[in-house]
Amino acid sequence: MNFITKIPIAKSNFPIDYSSRIVSLGSCFAENMGEKFDFFKFQNTTNPFGIIFNPVSIEKINYRAINLNYFTEDDLFFHNELWHCYEVHSDLSSDNKEVCLSNLNQILKETNQKLTSATHIIITYGTSWVYKLKSTGTIVANCHKVPQNQFDKEILSVEEIEKSIQNTLDLIQKVNPNCNVIFTISPVRHLKDGFVENQRSKAHLITALHTSISHLPTSMYFPSFEIQMDELRDYRFYAQDMLHPNAIAIDYIWERFCESTIAVEANPIMQEVASIQKGMAHRPFHPQSISHTKFLQTLSEKAAQLKAQFPFMNF
């Protein structure tokens, strides 16, 4: 694609390759990028506690995981026939309290291991707007369809976000001092907050991030938001809701991410993985034919060769 504007992005000082262990956290755009890492068979964990949008809630779940601060029954509440936790996404809710608690604490242990062994942590912030539970004054990651009148809605100040970013970095440094942290801001517009309010929200995140990490050699900023807004400034790059980037936009932002952040040495392996993935996704007209059987055998051999080289790869 040719664009009027192409944002210059400096090459990463700590590129990702197939020896990297990646943890991706944050908004729904983190899920989009996580799917790309999964497709190309990188060692990647995405949002173990589900999608989380605001910096304070991401900080809180990192604190809990890094310090192995296990969930208790006091962290759960019952609403609409399910047990929920305000610190995690509703995907982890359950109709059984014991199951819910056990699952959360199992994920907590696994996330602790992932964070302490990660080479790269990618954090995607979605919004500066937060909801505070009136009864406790605490910021929640998800409202779980609890009535709106139980919450106060506020916007985090730049200073509050800067403090939260610093707290998050300090937590990571405490257990994993050699880890590299990549920050980005989701290009998804939160227009339910309002057009002006969405711009304020993103502006607070951008200002706080650049102030916080400008002097840190092991942290970098990848401009997902700016690429969508300035390089892809056309509604043909949005999904049907006109808010989320569509598949073309996600592919393009991933290409820009690869240019700046993926090691050049990884490219041939990525191409080989993509070839196998596309071959496996192919639906033949005659699945019992000799030619298709040979095609599948060749794919299987290629996959086995890659797995021998990279045992973590599963096709």
Side-chain angles (χ1 to χ4, degrees):
M1 299 182 197
N2 293 317
F3 300 97
I4 296 172
T5 304
K6 193 164 185 179
I7 297 168
I9 307 173
K11 288 280 187 181
S12 171
N13 293 325
F14 37 91
I16 291 170
D17 58 26
Y18 275 94
S19 67
S20 301
R21 296 175 301 281
I22 308 152
V23 178
S24 303
L25 304 168
S27 77
C28 49
F29 189 72
E31 300 274 320
N32 298 142
M33 301 304 277
E35 287 171 4
K36 292 295 186 184
F37 282 121
D38 290 341
F39 177 84
F40 288 103
K41 299 297 179 183
F42 285 92
Q43 300 178 83
N44 174 60
T45 300
T46 302
N47 281 343
F49 290 101
I51 294 168
I52 300 178
F53 295 97
N54 75 78
V56 171
S57 292
I58 292 173
E59 174 200 339
K60 284 170 67 176
I61 206 65
N62 269 294
Y63 179 88
R64 189 182 278 279
I66 286 170
N67 290 289
L68 281 176
N69 183 9
Y70 289 105
F71 294 93
T72 68
E73 289 188 3
D74 292 340
D75 298 308
L76 305 183
F77 70 97
F78 193 70
H79 177 69
N80 283 346
E81 302 181 37
L82 292 172
W83 289 95
H84 308 277
C85 174
Y86 277 126
E87 296 180 40
V88 305
H89 194 270
S90 54
D91 285 347
L92 299 177
S93 300
S94 173
D95 59 358
N96 184 297
K97 183 198 284 188
E98 287 70 30
V99 169
C100 183
L101 197 57
S102 175
N103 286 345
L104 287 175
N105 284 326
Q106 180 60 35
I107 294 169
L108 188 77
K109 285 194 289 186
E110 293 170 358
T111 304
N112 173 275
Q113 294 167 0
K114 297 287 187 182
L115 289 172
T116 54
S117 64
T119 60
H120 296 75
I121 296 175
I122 303 174
I123 297 177
T124 304
Y125 293 138
T127 182
S128 302
W129 289 100
V130 296
Y131 290 86
K132 285 186 175 180
L133 190 62
K134 286 183 178 179
S135 60
T136 62
T138 57
I139 293 172
V140 303
N142 195 296
C143 294
H144 301 294
K145 298 184 178 178
V146 172
Q148 195 83 12
N149 62 10
Q150 300 299 306
F151 303 94
D152 289 317
K153 183 179 178 181
E154 299 177 6
I155 191 167
L156 296 171
S157 68
V158 172
E159 292 73 23
E160 287 172 316
I161 298 170
E162 286 178 12
K163 182 179 178 182
S164 184
I165 293 168
Q166 189 59 57
N167 289 344
T168 300
L169 288 168
D170 289 345
L171 283 166
I172 295 167
Q173 282 286 312
K174 184 175 80 170
V175 295
N176 193 349
N178 297 317
C179 183
N180 304 293
V181 185
I182 302 169
F183 288 96
T184 189
I185 291 169
S186 170
V188 178
R189 296 177 299 161
H190 292 236
L191 293 190
K192 65 179 181 180
D193 294 322
F195 284 84
V196 173
E197 290 79 3
N198 173 70
Q199 292 298 89
R200 283 180 64 200
S201 168
K202 300 293 188 185
H204 283 206
L205 293 173
I206 292 167
T207 302
L209 262 178
H210 284 287
T211 302
S212 299
I213 69 171
S214 58
H215 61 289
L216 299 176
T218 57
S219 297
M220 67 169 281
Y221 178 74
F222 177 75
S224 300
F225 174 78
E226 291 81 356
I227 291 170
Q228 181 75 32
M229 294 297 110
D230 292 311
E231 292 191 32
L232 306 177
R233 56 174 100 152
D234 191 306
Y235 276 110
R236 65 197 161 112
F237 298 115
Y238 284 86
Q240 214 167 9
D241 64 3
M242 298 299 173
L243 300 176
H244 291 77
N246 63 14
I248 297 171
I250 291 166
D251 285 347
Y252 180 78
I253 294 172
W254 171 254
E255 287 174 15
R256 298 286 274 130
F257 182 83
C258 289
E259 289 170 11
S260 64
T261 314
I262 303 294
V264 174
E265 297 76 21
N267 288 336
I269 304 164
M270 291 174 68
Q271 290 173 18
E272 200 169 343
V273 170
S275 174
I276 294 170
Q277 293 277 64
K278 290 172 184 175
M280 288 181 167
H282 176 66
R283 294 291 175 262
F285 287 113
H286 304 289
Q288 306 305 322
S289 66
I290 294 173
S291 61
H292 184 65
T293 301
K294 288 182 178 178
F295 172 73
L296 290 179
Q297 185 177 349
T298 301
L299 274 184
S300 180
E301 290 170 357
K302 288 181 178 178
Q305 288 171 2
L306 271 181
K307 187 169 178 60
Q309 188 178 358
F310 304 101
F312 55 84
M313 288 189 182
N314 290 306
F315 290 92

